[in-house]
mmCIF file of all heavy atoms in Angstrom:
data_model
loop_
_atom_site.group_PDB
_atom_site.id
_atom_site.type_symbol
_atom_site.label_atom_id
_atom_site.label_comp_id
_atom_site.label_asym_id
_atom_site.label_seq_id
_atom_site.Cartn_x
_atom_site.Cartn_y
_atom_site.Cartn_z
ATOM 1 N N GLU V 3 0.826 -1.200 -0.017
ATOM 2 C CA GLU V 3 0.023 -0.024 -0.026
ATOM 3 C C GLU V 3 0.856 1.255 -0.001
ATOM 4 O O GLU V 3 0.308 2.328 0.071
ATOM 5 C CB GLU V 3 -0.893 0.011 1.212
ATOM 6 C CG GLU V 3 -1.963 -1.163 1.202
ATOM 7 C CD GLU V 3 -2.784 -1.121 2.466
ATOM 8 O OE1 GLU V 3 -2.552 -0.372 3.325
ATOM 9 O OE2 GLU V 3 -3.759 -1.868 2.469
ATOM 10 N N HIS V 4 2.102 1.169 -0.036
ATOM 11 C CA HIS V 4 3.019 2.335 -0.068
ATOM 12 C C HIS V 4 3.141 2.909 -1.444
ATOM 13 O O HIS V 4 3.602 2.280 -2.365
ATOM 14 C CB HIS V 4 4.442 1.874 0.483
ATOM 15 C CG HIS V 4 4.462 1.291 1.783
ATOM 16 N ND1 HIS V 4 4.370 2.048 2.917
ATOM 17 C CD2 HIS V 4 4.433 -0.008 2.259
ATOM 18 C CE1 HIS V 4 4.349 1.290 4.050
ATOM 19 N NE2 HIS V 4 4.409 -0.005 3.611
ATOM 20 N N GLU V 5 2.875 4.230 -1.484
ATOM 21 C CA GLU V 5 2.966 4.889 -2.742
ATOM 22 C C GLU V 5 4.446 5.365 -2.939
ATOM 23 O O GLU V 5 4.873 5.611 -4.105
ATOM 24 C CB GLU V 5 2.049 6.160 -2.773
ATOM 25 C CG GLU V 5 0.561 5.823 -2.724
ATOM 26 C CD GLU V 5 -0.302 7.033 -2.815
ATOM 27 O OE1 GLU V 5 0.243 8.186 -2.875
ATOM 28 O OE2 GLU V 5 -1.496 6.889 -2.861
ATOM 29 N N GLU V 6 5.248 5.487 -1.888
ATOM 30 C CA GLU V 6 6.623 5.811 -1.925
ATOM 31 C C GLU V 6 7.397 4.824 -1.019
ATOM 32 O O GLU V 6 6.852 4.253 -0.113
ATOM 33 C CB GLU V 6 6.920 7.243 -1.463
ATOM 34 C CG GLU V 6 6.261 8.313 -2.383
ATOM 35 C CD GLU V 6 6.607 9.682 -1.890
ATOM 36 O OE1 GLU V 6 6.731 9.891 -0.625
ATOM 37 O OE2 GLU V 6 6.713 10.574 -2.706
ATOM 38 N N ASN V 7 8.668 4.696 -1.320
ATOM 39 C CA ASN V 7 9.472 3.836 -0.498
ATOM 40 C C ASN V 7 10.678 4.637 -0.004
ATOM 41 O O ASN V 7 11.499 5.125 -0.823
ATOM 42 C CB ASN V 7 9.961 2.564 -1.299
ATOM 43 C CG ASN V 7 10.646 1.564 -0.342
ATOM 44 O OD1 ASN V 7 11.293 1.869 0.612
ATOM 45 N ND2 ASN V 7 10.379 0.261 -0.661
ATOM 46 N N PRO V 8 10.768 4.914 1.272
ATOM 47 C CA PRO V 8 11.909 5.676 1.833
ATOM 48 C C PRO V 8 13.279 5.095 1.437
ATOM 49 O O PRO V 8 14.231 5.932 1.311
ATOM 50 C CB PRO V 8 11.659 5.646 3.339
ATOM 51 C CG PRO V 8 10.231 5.394 3.535
ATOM 52 C CD PRO V 8 9.834 4.540 2.378
ATOM 53 N N SER V 9 13.335 3.839 1.244
ATOM 54 C CA SER V 9 14.640 3.263 0.940
ATOM 55 C C SER V 9 15.103 3.661 -0.468
ATOM 56 O O SER V 9 16.222 3.922 -0.753
ATOM 57 C CB SER V 9 14.630 1.715 1.032
ATOM 58 O OG SER V 9 13.915 1.083 -0.040
ATOM 59 N N GLN V 10 14.110 3.807 -1.339
ATOM 60 C CA GLN V 10 14.447 4.335 -2.735
ATOM 61 C C GLN V 10 14.879 5.805 -2.636
ATOM 62 O O GLN V 10 15.873 6.122 -3.252
ATOM 63 C CB GLN V 10 13.156 4.287 -3.608
ATOM 64 C CG GLN V 10 13.372 4.793 -4.999
ATOM 65 C CD GLN V 10 12.198 4.595 -5.921
ATOM 66 O OE1 GLN V 10 11.131 4.205 -5.459
ATOM 67 N NE2 GLN V 10 12.395 4.902 -7.185
ATOM 68 N N GLN V 11 14.144 6.582 -1.865
ATOM 69 C CA GLN V 11 14.531 7.982 -1.734
ATOM 70 C C GLN V 11 15.923 8.225 -1.130
ATOM 71 O O GLN V 11 16.689 9.019 -1.597
ATOM 72 C CB GLN V 11 13.429 8.739 -0.888
ATOM 73 C CG GLN V 11 12.097 8.672 -1.570
ATOM 74 C CD GLN V 11 11.007 9.137 -0.604
ATOM 75 O OE1 GLN V 11 10.611 8.485 0.330
ATOM 76 N NE2 GLN V 11 10.399 10.352 -0.872
ATOM 77 N N LEU V 12 16.195 7.407 -0.125
ATOM 78 C CA LEU V 12 17.468 7.520 0.560
ATOM 79 C C LEU V 12 18.602 7.105 -0.342
ATOM 80 O O LEU V 12 19.633 7.792 -0.456
ATOM 81 C CB LEU V 12 17.474 6.688 1.879
ATOM 82 C CG LEU V 12 18.683 6.755 2.755
ATOM 83 C CD1 LEU V 12 18.766 8.192 3.384
ATOM 84 C CD2 LEU V 12 18.575 5.710 3.832
ATOM 85 N N VAL V 13 18.504 5.962 -0.959
ATOM 86 C CA VAL V 13 19.564 5.439 -1.814
ATOM 87 C C VAL V 13 19.730 6.306 -3.008
ATOM 88 O O VAL V 13 20.936 6.568 -3.450
ATOM 89 C CB VAL V 13 19.194 3.962 -2.170
ATOM 90 C CG1 VAL V 13 20.174 3.449 -3.277
ATOM 91 C CG2 VAL V 13 19.316 3.045 -0.954
ATOM 92 N N GLU V 14 18.666 6.724 -3.647
ATOM 93 C CA GLU V 14 18.796 7.585 -4.830
ATOM 94 C C GLU V 14 19.506 8.919 -4.553
ATOM 95 O O GLU V 14 20.061 9.447 -5.464
ATOM 96 C CB GLU V 14 17.406 7.858 -5.484
ATOM 97 C CG GLU V 14 16.860 6.662 -6.206
ATOM 98 C CD GLU V 14 15.502 7.046 -6.934
ATOM 99 O OE1 GLU V 14 14.844 7.946 -6.522
ATOM 100 O OE2 GLU V 14 15.211 6.338 -7.915
ATOM 101 N N SER V 15 19.512 9.336 -3.279
ATOM 102 C CA SER V 15 20.094 10.576 -2.975
ATOM 103 C C SER V 15 21.653 10.486 -3.013
ATOM 104 O O SER V 15 22.333 11.572 -3.074
ATOM 105 C CB SER V 15 19.718 11.022 -1.585
ATOM 106 O OG SER V 15 20.207 10.287 -0.562
ATOM 107 N N ILE V 16 22.193 9.327 -3.004
ATOM 108 C CA ILE V 16 23.726 9.162 -3.058
ATOM 109 C C ILE V 16 24.176 8.234 -4.176
ATOM 110 O O ILE V 16 25.367 8.098 -4.307
ATOM 111 C CB ILE V 16 24.276 8.750 -1.711
ATOM 112 C CG1 ILE V 16 23.681 7.494 -1.213
ATOM 113 C CG2 ILE V 16 24.124 9.867 -0.689
ATOM 114 C CD1 ILE V 16 24.392 6.969 -0.006
ATOM 115 N N LEU V 17 23.244 7.603 -4.909
ATOM 116 C CA LEU V 17 23.708 6.723 -5.988
ATOM 117 C C LEU V 17 24.518 7.519 -7.015
ATOM 118 O O LEU V 17 24.177 8.638 -7.336
ATOM 119 C CB LEU V 17 22.494 6.064 -6.649
ATOM 120 C CG LEU V 17 22.021 4.701 -6.179
ATOM 121 C CD1 LEU V 17 20.975 4.114 -7.035
ATOM 122 C CD2 LEU V 17 23.186 3.750 -5.939
ATOM 123 N N ASN V 18 25.575 6.873 -7.537
ATOM 124 C CA ASN V 18 26.392 7.472 -8.521
ATOM 125 C C ASN V 18 27.107 8.747 -8.091
ATOM 126 O O ASN V 18 27.309 9.738 -8.894
ATOM 127 C CB ASN V 18 25.636 7.765 -9.851
ATOM 128 C CG ASN V 18 25.024 6.397 -10.356
ATOM 129 O OD1 ASN V 18 25.619 5.405 -10.416
ATOM 130 N ND2 ASN V 18 23.725 6.452 -10.702
ATOM 131 N N THR V 19 27.403 8.810 -6.795
ATOM 132 C CA THR V 19 28.163 9.922 -6.282
ATOM 133 C C THR V 19 29.411 9.377 -5.539
ATOM 134 O O THR V 19 29.474 8.244 -5.249
ATOM 135 C CB THR V 19 27.343 10.784 -5.258
ATOM 136 O OG1 THR V 19 27.121 10.036 -4.083
ATOM 137 C CG2 THR V 19 26.030 11.204 -5.850
ATOM 138 N N THR V 20 30.376 10.258 -5.340
ATOM 139 C CA THR V 20 31.490 9.948 -4.488
ATOM 140 C C THR V 20 31.602 10.936 -3.342
ATOM 141 O O THR V 20 31.460 12.099 -3.522
ATOM 142 C CB THR V 20 32.827 10.054 -5.332
ATOM 143 O OG1 THR V 20 32.810 9.106 -6.442
ATOM 144 C CG2 THR V 20 34.040 9.787 -4.490
ATOM 145 N N ARG V 21 31.715 10.381 -2.157
ATOM 146 C CA ARG V 21 31.691 11.183 -0.972
ATOM 147 C C ARG V 21 33.005 10.841 -0.093
ATOM 148 O O ARG V 21 33.381 9.658 0.001
ATOM 149 C CB ARG V 21 30.446 10.908 -0.043
ATOM 150 C CG ARG V 21 29.185 11.424 -0.782
ATOM 151 C CD ARG V 21 28.004 11.098 0.111
ATOM 152 N NE ARG V 21 26.815 11.701 -0.472
ATOM 153 C CZ ARG V 21 25.991 12.542 0.248
ATOM 154 N NH1 ARG V 21 26.227 12.719 1.470
ATOM 155 N NH2 ARG V 21 24.942 13.088 -0.367
ATOM 156 N N ILE V 22 33.513 11.847 0.555
ATOM 157 C CA ILE V 22 34.628 11.592 1.449
ATOM 158 C C ILE V 22 34.024 11.679 2.878
ATOM 159 O O ILE V 22 33.424 12.638 3.263
ATOM 160 C CB ILE V 22 35.698 12.679 1.249
ATOM 161 C CG1 ILE V 22 36.378 12.582 -0.106
ATOM 162 C CG2 ILE V 22 36.789 12.548 2.364
ATOM 163 C CD1 ILE V 22 37.404 13.607 -0.338
ATOM 164 N N HIS V 23 34.175 10.577 3.637
ATOM 165 C CA HIS V 23 33.598 10.482 5.000
ATOM 166 C C HIS V 23 34.770 10.389 5.961
ATOM 167 O O HIS V 23 35.698 9.560 5.720
ATOM 168 C CB HIS V 23 32.683 9.340 5.105
ATOM 169 C CG HIS V 23 31.983 9.292 6.375
ATOM 170 N ND1 HIS V 23 30.750 9.957 6.439
ATOM 171 C CD2 HIS V 23 32.197 8.796 7.573
ATOM 172 C CE1 HIS V 23 30.271 9.812 7.752
ATOM 173 N NE2 HIS V 23 31.126 9.086 8.365
ATOM 174 N N ARG V 24 34.713 11.120 7.002
ATOM 175 C CA ARG V 24 35.821 11.075 8.014
ATOM 176 C C ARG V 24 35.317 10.422 9.277
ATOM 177 O O ARG V 24 34.443 10.948 9.943
ATOM 178 C CB ARG V 24 36.345 12.534 8.259
ATOM 179 C CG ARG V 24 37.124 13.045 7.087
ATOM 180 C CD ARG V 24 37.603 14.469 7.351
ATOM 181 N NE ARG V 24 38.465 14.901 6.208
ATOM 182 C CZ ARG V 24 38.053 15.397 5.090
ATOM 183 N NH1 ARG V 24 36.726 15.474 4.876
ATOM 184 N NH2 ARG V 24 38.843 15.775 4.150
ATOM 185 N N LEU V 25 35.881 9.266 9.552
ATOM 186 C CA LEU V 25 35.585 8.574 10.866
ATOM 187 C C LEU V 25 36.428 9.234 11.972
ATOM 188 O O LEU V 25 37.561 9.605 11.755
ATOM 189 C CB LEU V 25 35.919 7.100 10.711
ATOM 190 C CG LEU V 25 35.050 6.284 9.749
ATOM 191 C CD1 LEU V 25 35.678 4.940 9.548
ATOM 192 C CD2 LEU V 25 33.698 6.151 10.304
ATOM 193 N N GLN V 26 35.817 9.260 13.096
ATOM 194 C CA GLN V 26 36.583 9.759 14.309
ATOM 195 C C GLN V 26 37.651 8.787 14.658
ATOM 196 O O GLN V 26 37.580 7.652 14.429
ATOM 197 C CB GLN V 26 35.622 10.009 15.440
ATOM 198 C CG GLN V 26 34.597 11.068 15.242
ATOM 199 C CD GLN V 26 35.265 12.451 14.911
ATOM 200 O OE1 GLN V 26 36.193 12.885 15.623
ATOM 201 N NE2 GLN V 26 34.881 13.032 13.806
ATOM 202 N N PRO V 27 38.748 9.348 15.234
ATOM 203 C CA PRO V 27 39.810 8.444 15.610
ATOM 204 C C PRO V 27 39.426 7.375 16.519
ATOM 205 O O PRO V 27 38.507 7.480 17.401
ATOM 206 C CB PRO V 27 40.793 9.387 16.359
ATOM 207 C CG PRO V 27 40.432 10.762 15.887
ATOM 208 C CD PRO V 27 38.951 10.728 15.539
ATOM 209 N N ALA V 28 40.002 6.133 16.323
ATOM 210 C CA ALA V 28 39.651 4.942 17.111
ATOM 211 C C ALA V 28 40.109 5.073 18.578
ATOM 212 O O ALA V 28 39.556 4.422 19.429
ATOM 213 C CB ALA V 28 40.219 3.671 16.521
ATOM 214 N N SER V 29 41.109 5.941 18.834
ATOM 215 C CA SER V 29 41.561 6.125 20.196
ATOM 216 C C SER V 29 41.983 7.501 20.388
ATOM 217 O O SER V 29 42.188 8.291 19.441
ATOM 218 C CB SER V 29 42.747 5.165 20.512
ATOM 219 O OG SER V 29 43.888 5.620 19.748
ATOM 220 N N THR V 30 42.161 7.936 21.629
ATOM 221 C CA THR V 30 42.543 9.307 21.924
ATOM 222 C C THR V 30 43.967 9.588 21.519
ATOM 223 O O THR V 30 44.423 10.725 21.459
ATOM 224 C CB THR V 30 42.416 9.519 23.468
ATOM 225 O OG1 THR V 30 43.200 8.547 24.138
ATOM 226 C CG2 THR V 30 40.935 9.444 23.868
ATOM 227 N N HIS V 31 44.757 8.529 21.197
ATOM 228 C CA HIS V 31 46.144 8.715 20.819
ATOM 229 C C HIS V 31 46.276 8.933 19.260
ATOM 230 O O HIS V 31 47.407 9.296 18.857
ATOM 231 C CB HIS V 31 46.975 7.450 21.235
ATOM 232 C CG HIS V 31 46.947 7.189 22.657
ATOM 233 N ND1 HIS V 31 47.456 8.015 23.547
ATOM 234 C CD2 HIS V 31 46.306 6.164 23.381
ATOM 235 C CE1 HIS V 31 47.301 7.502 24.801
ATOM 236 N NE2 HIS V 31 46.594 6.414 24.689
ATOM 237 N N ALA V 32 45.186 8.771 18.571
ATOM 238 C CA ALA V 32 45.316 8.959 17.070
ATOM 239 C C ALA V 32 45.410 10.408 16.797
ATOM 240 O O ALA V 32 44.774 11.285 17.474
ATOM 241 C CB ALA V 32 44.019 8.329 16.445
ATOM 242 N N LEU V 33 46.167 10.761 15.850
ATOM 243 C CA LEU V 33 46.456 12.172 15.534
ATOM 244 C C LEU V 33 45.299 12.782 14.712
ATOM 245 O O LEU V 33 45.037 13.957 14.767
ATOM 246 C CB LEU V 33 47.755 12.301 14.731
ATOM 247 C CG LEU V 33 48.987 11.914 15.552
ATOM 248 C CD1 LEU V 33 50.232 12.101 14.660
ATOM 249 C CD2 LEU V 33 49.129 12.807 16.804
ATOM 250 N N GLU V 34 44.668 11.995 13.863
ATOM 251 C CA GLU V 34 43.616 12.509 13.016
ATOM 252 C C GLU V 34 42.633 11.451 12.618
ATOM 253 O O GLU V 34 42.835 10.229 12.850
ATOM 254 C CB GLU V 34 44.183 13.183 11.761
ATOM 255 C CG GLU V 34 45.007 12.150 10.881
ATOM 256 C CD GLU V 34 45.626 12.822 9.705
ATOM 257 O OE1 GLU V 34 46.070 13.955 9.788
ATOM 258 O OE2 GLU V 34 45.698 12.171 8.664
ATOM 259 N N SER V 35 41.509 11.871 12.115
ATOM 260 C CA SER V 35 40.443 10.883 11.729
ATOM 261 C C SER V 35 40.818 10.160 10.448
ATOM 262 O O SER V 35 41.620 10.621 9.684
ATOM 263 C CB SER V 35 39.058 11.609 11.539
ATOM 264 O OG SER V 35 39.170 12.541 10.575
ATOM 265 N N ASP V 36 40.205 8.991 10.219
ATOM 266 C CA ASP V 36 40.440 8.291 8.984
ATOM 267 C C ASP V 36 39.446 8.841 7.941
ATOM 268 O O ASP V 36 38.282 8.981 8.122
ATOM 269 C CB ASP V 36 40.035 6.832 9.220
ATOM 270 C CG ASP V 36 41.091 6.117 10.104
ATOM 271 O OD1 ASP V 36 42.266 6.496 9.981
ATOM 272 O OD2 ASP V 36 40.762 5.257 10.887
ATOM 273 N N SER V 37 40.089 9.148 6.718
ATOM 274 C CA SER V 37 39.283 9.715 5.606
ATOM 275 C C SER V 37 39.061 8.628 4.603
ATOM 276 O O SER V 37 40.050 8.007 4.145
ATOM 277 C CB SER V 37 40.034 10.894 5.059
ATOM 278 O OG SER V 37 39.320 11.509 3.996
ATOM 279 N N ILE V 38 37.842 8.370 4.280
ATOM 280 C CA ILE V 38 37.501 7.313 3.362
ATOM 281 C C ILE V 38 36.699 7.938 2.167
ATOM 282 O O ILE V 38 35.678 8.547 2.370
ATOM 283 C CB ILE V 38 36.715 6.242 3.986
ATOM 284 C CG1 ILE V 38 37.545 5.605 5.134
ATOM 285 C CG2 ILE V 38 36.370 5.125 2.944
ATOM 286 C CD1 ILE V 38 36.831 4.539 5.914
ATOM 287 N N GLU V 39 37.215 7.690 0.920
ATOM 288 C CA GLU V 39 36.526 8.157 -0.239
ATOM 289 C C GLU V 39 35.697 7.016 -0.750
ATOM 290 O O GLU V 39 36.217 6.008 -1.262
ATOM 291 C CB GLU V 39 37.551 8.601 -1.260
ATOM 292 C CG GLU V 39 36.857 9.134 -2.596
ATOM 293 C CD GLU V 39 37.878 9.565 -3.598
ATOM 294 O OE1 GLU V 39 38.763 10.449 -3.234
ATOM 295 O OE2 GLU V 39 37.932 9.092 -4.750
ATOM 296 N N MET V 40 34.343 7.178 -0.778
ATOM 297 C CA MET V 40 33.428 6.141 -1.150
ATOM 298 C C MET V 40 32.638 6.504 -2.392
ATOM 299 O O MET V 40 32.028 7.590 -2.485
ATOM 300 C CB MET V 40 32.459 5.891 0.026
ATOM 301 C CG MET V 40 33.114 5.347 1.323
ATOM 302 S SD MET V 40 31.942 5.010 2.619
ATOM 303 C CE MET V 40 31.266 6.659 2.909
ATOM 304 N N THR V 41 32.687 5.639 -3.351
ATOM 305 C CA THR V 41 31.875 5.776 -4.601
ATOM 306 C C THR V 41 30.688 4.804 -4.437
ATOM 307 O O THR V 41 30.889 3.595 -4.241
ATOM 308 C CB THR V 41 32.681 5.474 -5.805
ATOM 309 O OG1 THR V 41 33.775 6.407 -5.919
ATOM 310 C CG2 THR V 41 31.818 5.568 -7.049
ATOM 311 N N PHE V 42 29.485 5.340 -4.606
ATOM 312 C CA PHE V 42 28.288 4.571 -4.474
ATOM 313 C C PHE V 42 27.695 4.181 -5.799
ATOM 314 O O PHE V 42 27.204 5.076 -6.566
ATOM 315 C CB PHE V 42 27.290 5.309 -3.608
ATOM 316 C CG PHE V 42 27.700 5.560 -2.202
ATOM 317 C CD1 PHE V 42 28.270 6.749 -1.879
ATOM 318 C CD2 PHE V 42 27.526 4.625 -1.296
ATOM 319 C CE1 PHE V 42 28.666 6.944 -0.515
ATOM 320 C CE2 PHE V 42 27.837 4.801 0.098
ATOM 321 C CZ PHE V 42 28.468 5.973 0.454
ATOM 322 N N LEU V 43 27.738 2.940 -6.122
ATOM 323 C CA LEU V 43 27.096 2.342 -7.325
ATOM 324 C C LEU V 43 25.887 1.554 -6.805
ATOM 325 O O LEU V 43 25.893 1.083 -5.723
ATOM 326 C CB LEU V 43 28.065 1.553 -8.108
ATOM 327 C CG LEU V 43 29.333 2.157 -8.528
ATOM 328 C CD1 LEU V 43 30.221 1.235 -9.325
ATOM 329 C CD2 LEU V 43 29.013 3.439 -9.396
ATOM 330 N N GLY V 44 24.978 1.181 -7.744
ATOM 331 C CA GLY V 44 23.874 0.314 -7.329
ATOM 332 C C GLY V 44 22.676 0.577 -8.099
ATOM 333 O O GLY V 44 22.696 1.092 -9.272
ATOM 334 N N MET V 45 21.513 0.247 -7.536
ATOM 335 C CA MET V 45 20.294 0.378 -8.293
ATOM 336 C C MET V 45 19.062 0.269 -7.284
ATOM 337 O O MET V 45 19.251 -0.152 -6.132
ATOM 338 C CB MET V 45 20.102 -0.741 -9.355
ATOM 339 C CG MET V 45 20.105 -2.214 -8.762
ATOM 340 S SD MET V 45 19.803 -3.463 -9.991
ATOM 341 C CE MET V 45 21.236 -3.297 -10.959
ATOM 342 N N ILE V 46 17.854 0.577 -7.821
ATOM 343 C CA ILE V 46 16.664 0.423 -7.088
ATOM 344 C C ILE V 46 15.996 -0.860 -7.622
ATOM 345 O O ILE V 46 15.773 -1.031 -8.785
ATOM 346 C CB ILE V 46 15.654 1.616 -7.328
ATOM 347 C CG1 ILE V 46 16.351 2.898 -6.895
ATOM 348 C CG2 ILE V 46 14.345 1.451 -6.532
ATOM 349 C CD1 ILE V 46 16.861 2.978 -5.471
ATOM 350 N N LEU V 47 15.805 -1.769 -6.633
ATOM 351 C CA LEU V 47 15.361 -3.137 -7.028
ATOM 352 C C LEU V 47 13.819 -3.226 -7.051
ATOM 353 O O LEU V 47 13.119 -2.650 -6.178
ATOM 354 C CB LEU V 47 15.857 -4.153 -6.015
ATOM 355 C CG LEU V 47 17.380 -4.192 -5.793
ATOM 356 C CD1 LEU V 47 17.761 -5.096 -4.675
ATOM 357 C CD2 LEU V 47 18.128 -4.597 -7.081
ATOM 358 N N PRO V 48 13.264 -3.984 -7.983
ATOM 359 C CA PRO V 48 11.844 -4.352 -7.926
ATOM 360 C C PRO V 48 11.605 -5.301 -6.751
ATOM 361 O O PRO V 48 12.510 -6.094 -6.365
ATOM 362 C CB PRO V 48 11.564 -5.016 -9.264
ATOM 363 C CG PRO V 48 12.942 -5.551 -9.700
ATOM 364 C CD PRO V 48 13.895 -4.590 -9.155
#
């Protein structure tokens, strides 16, 4: 009965994009956060 699917809206907002995400340091001794460049590929499934 759903006219829209939030999963489609959420996924489509980043499909075919590249984002740099910075994770916080795993410990207080780390000098800087880990930077990860993620490319999102995929599709909306029936």
Side-chain angles (χ1 to χ4, degrees):
E3 298 180 351
H4 299 280
E5 295 184 359
E6 296 181 329
N7 191 324
S9 73
Q10 177 176 9
Q11 296 168 291
L12 185 66
V13 168
E14 283 184 339
S15 70
I16 56 172
L17 270 188
N18 302 314
T19 68
T20 297
R21 292 177 173 234
I22 296 176
H23 191 88
R24 290 178 174 83
L25 291 170
Q26 291 304 308
S29 73
T30 55
H31 302 292
L33 295 178
E34 59 184 36
S35 61
D36 290 323
S37 180
I38 301 176
E39 182 179 307
M40 299 181 293
T41 298
F42 294 94
L43 305 179
M45 63 175 63
I46 303 304
L47 304 173

